[in-house]
Amino acid sequence: NAGVTQTPKFRILKIGQSMTLQCAQDMNHNYMYWYRQDPGMGLKLIYYSVGAGITDKGEVPNGYNVSRSTTEDFPLRLELAAPSQTSVYFCASSLPGTGGRSPLHFGNGTRLTVT
Amino acid sequence: GQQVMQIPQYQHVQEGEDFTTYCNSSTTLSNIQWYKQRPGGHPVFLIQLVKSGEVKKQKRLTFQFGEAKKNSSLHITATQTTDVGTYFCAGRSNDYKLSFGAGTTVTVRA
């Protein structure tokens, strides 16, 4: 099993450009998440999905969009990139678990710079 | 909304010494998870605590969940260079969203 795979690993965008961060998991996990990590700020939840066709906003959704057409894939779309979106983005997945107690499995991250 | 505070933000430790990092929530948690992120890496799950007052050990790491289920701690004994990284606590108060602390970044002096 590859686990959670994120592409690309690095990307530089100009202000106003758009891009899609790809995330795929092969563990048949229902739940998938997008986090961003800024220095000293921990991980902030952008969007999450509890299954194919179902998505919802997290703490910091502005400027992003997601879709979940299959169990495996959960792409994150950035429209009109801004310098404030410079960050490291992590995709994660988990099983529902009993009472939501399953651990998160993270991808290797995408380091995005907007200039 | 739920907030999870973690202290200290940085911990500089002499190799062989012990240290503790603390995690506090503004609300009661159903469970708390701890993750470790090596420099340049991604967070990796370490352990989960569910019961009030629960204590779990992993070799030199001891994890504790408070009686009120609003705080947790990670204690590392005899710190080694392999302990370098950032340790995150993450509290869950509903079914699918974890709230992460800002992390404690540990550096070790040999």
Side-chain angles (χ1 to χ4, degrees):
Chain A
N1 286 353
V4 180
T5 302
Q6 289 184 239
T7 56
K9 292 184 180 179
F10 304 94
R11 184 70 187 268
I12 299 175
L13 281 181
K14 293 187 185 301
I15 295 171
Q17 286 185 322
S18 300
M19 76 163 294
T20 299
L21 281 66
Q22 302 292 343
C23 176
Q25 53 91 11
D26 62 358
M27 297 174 284
N28 204 30
H29 285 174
N30 299 77
Y31 292 1
M32 295 188 75
Y33 316 79
W34 275 105
Y35 287 89
R36 60 176 286 171
Q37 184 176 32
D38 301 306
M41 299 295 290
L43 293 142
K44 298 295 184 184
L45 182 64
I46 305 171
Y47 271 94
Y48 65 95
S49 169
V50 299
I54 306 169
T55 62
D56 208 346
K57 296 177 180 178
E59 303 169 77
V60 289
N62 291 345
Y64 308 94
N65 276 300
V66 293
S67 59
R68 185 94 181 271
S69 57
T70 66
T71 299
E72 294 78 18
D73 300 298
F74 191 41
L76 177 71
R77 178 80 177 165
L78 278 71
E79 304 282 2
L80 298 175
S84 61
Q85 293 179 304
T86 294
S87 189
V88 180
Y89 291 84
F90 286 103
C91 178
S93 71
S94 73
L95 292 168
T98 302
R101 294 173 182 175
S102 290
L104 269 59
H105 298 257
F106 285 87
N108 288 332
T110 295
R111 187 174 297 274
L112 175 68
T113 302
V114 182
T115 61
Chain B
Q2 175 188 316
Q3 287 193 353
V4 174
M5 308 299 292
Q6 196 170 350
I7 56 171
Q9 185 174 1
Y10 299 99
Q11 185 80 54
H12 308 289
V13 189
Q14 180 72 40
E15 190 173 16
E17 290 184 341
D18 302 352
F19 76 90
T20 303
T21 175
Y22 300 90
C23 186
N24 295 291
S25 171
S26 56
T27 59
T28 302
L29 302 170
S30 64
N31 58 76
I32 194 159
Q33 297 176 350
W34 285 88
Y35 293 79
K36 177 182 179 180
Q37 183 178 25
R38 295 185 184 275
H42 60 275
V44 175
F45 174 77
L46 292 177
I47 208 160
Q48 176 169 257
L49 304 170
V50 177
K51 299 176 183 177
S52 170
E54 188 170 15
V55 178
K56 287 188 176 180
K57 293 189 176 184
Q58 285 182 350
K59 298 182 180 178
R60 295 177 295 101
L61 278 62
T62 301
F63 303 84
Q64 188 165 3
F65 203 8
E67 294 290 339
K69 300 183 73 173
K70 296 180 76 171
N71 58 75
S72 182
S73 64
L74 160 58
H75 181 78
I76 299 182
T77 59
T79 304
Q80 299 177 359
T81 54
T82 53
D83 296 323
V84 165
T86 300
Y87 294 82
F88 293 99
C89 62
R92 193 190 301 270
S93 59
N94 58 33
D95 192 44
Y96 37 73
K97 287 187 284 187
L98 280 176
S99 180
F100 280 81
T104 294
T105 298
V106 177
T107 55
V108 179
R109 299 189 300 274

